[in-house]
Amino acid sequence: MEIRRFREEDAEAVSALVIKTVRISNVKDYTPELMEEVVKNMQPANILERAGWTHFYVVEDEGGIIGCGAIGPYWGKTDESSLFTIFVLPEYQGRGAGRLIIETLEQDEFFLRAKRIEIPSSITAVNFYRRMGYDYKNGIAEVDDEHVYRLEKFR
């Protein structure tokens, strides 16, 4: 497995991996209807737009993209950042790709300049992020109105 920065030509493959992962892994914790709303917002054009204001990375294995993740400013702040769009294909989950993504994002300049990093975590991924050192924002261990946990890490 190797990780590198996202390129424009990756948009379709990244969109496909996010959609597959949402429909297989995340549907265990969310309704199919809610996951189809996510699918609508993870089309190639949406991925390209997000890559325009974040540092977006992809994980490759055997010539294909098997994971992705991004980091960017938290609401435009220079001392806070957020992690976004972290997905690993279901067949690669539990094999170190997610850890590689987090470790890479935590070496990125958006992480290194931040005092606080936030992750809007799916129900599906919350335990993974907690193992990576993120904890519930303000101690609130409940999903919000966007159906995610807010997790954070302080540097």
Side-chain angles (χ1 to χ4, degrees):
M1 280 186 282
E2 293 188 13
I3 193 162
R4 64 169 173 78
R5 286 291 289 267
F6 173 91
R7 298 187 291 251
E8 279 189 29
E9 60 266 26
D10 297 330
E12 285 197 27
V14 169
S15 173
L17 96 80
V18 170
I19 290 168
K20 179 179 179 179
T21 304
V22 162
R23 287 180 171 158
I24 293 173
S25 297
N26 295 77
V27 79
K28 296 171 187 164
D29 297 307
Y30 295 96
T31 66
E33 296 79 19
L34 189 57
M35 291 301 89
E36 288 310 305
E37 287 299 314
V38 172
V39 165
K40 289 179 190 174
N41 294 311
M42 291 295 176
Q43 298 301 310
N46 306 97
I47 300 296
L48 284 169
E49 189 271 330
R50 179 158 291 177
W53 57 272
T54 65
H55 293 171
F56 210 119
Y57 296 84
V58 296
V59 179
E60 290 183 308
D61 191 52
E62 298 179 12
I65 295 175
I66 59 100
C68 64
I71 187 168
Y74 178 78
W75 297 105
K77 295 183 177 183
T78 58
D79 63 344
E80 294 183 299
S81 294
S82 274
L83 304 186
F84 303 99
T85 322
I86 300 172
F87 289 91
V88 174
L89 283 173
E91 58 268 32
Y92 280 87
Q93 291 171 10
R95 294 175 47 190
R99 178 174 293 279
L100 177 61
I101 292 166
I102 296 297
E103 289 171 350
T104 300
L105 296 174
E106 289 183 347
Q107 294 303 311
D108 186 275
E109 66 183 282
F110 282 132
F111 184 91
L112 298 174
R113 75 179 193 183
K115 295 177 185 162
R116 189 184 76 87
I117 297 84
E118 184 167 311
I119 303 174
S121 173
S122 67
I123 296 167
T124 314
V126 70
N127 289 328
F128 166 74
Y129 294 129
R130 296 201 65 222
R131 286 192 304 273
M132 296 300 297
Y134 292 81
D135 205 359
Y136 298 110
K137 182 178 178 179
N138 300 321
I140 300 171
E142 298 174 9
V143 294
D144 64 13
D145 58 351
E146 293 181 28
H147 310 284
V148 295
Y149 289 99
R150 301 289 168 178
L151 301 178
E152 64 186 356
K153 181 187 271 190
F154 291 91
R155 291 193 59 248

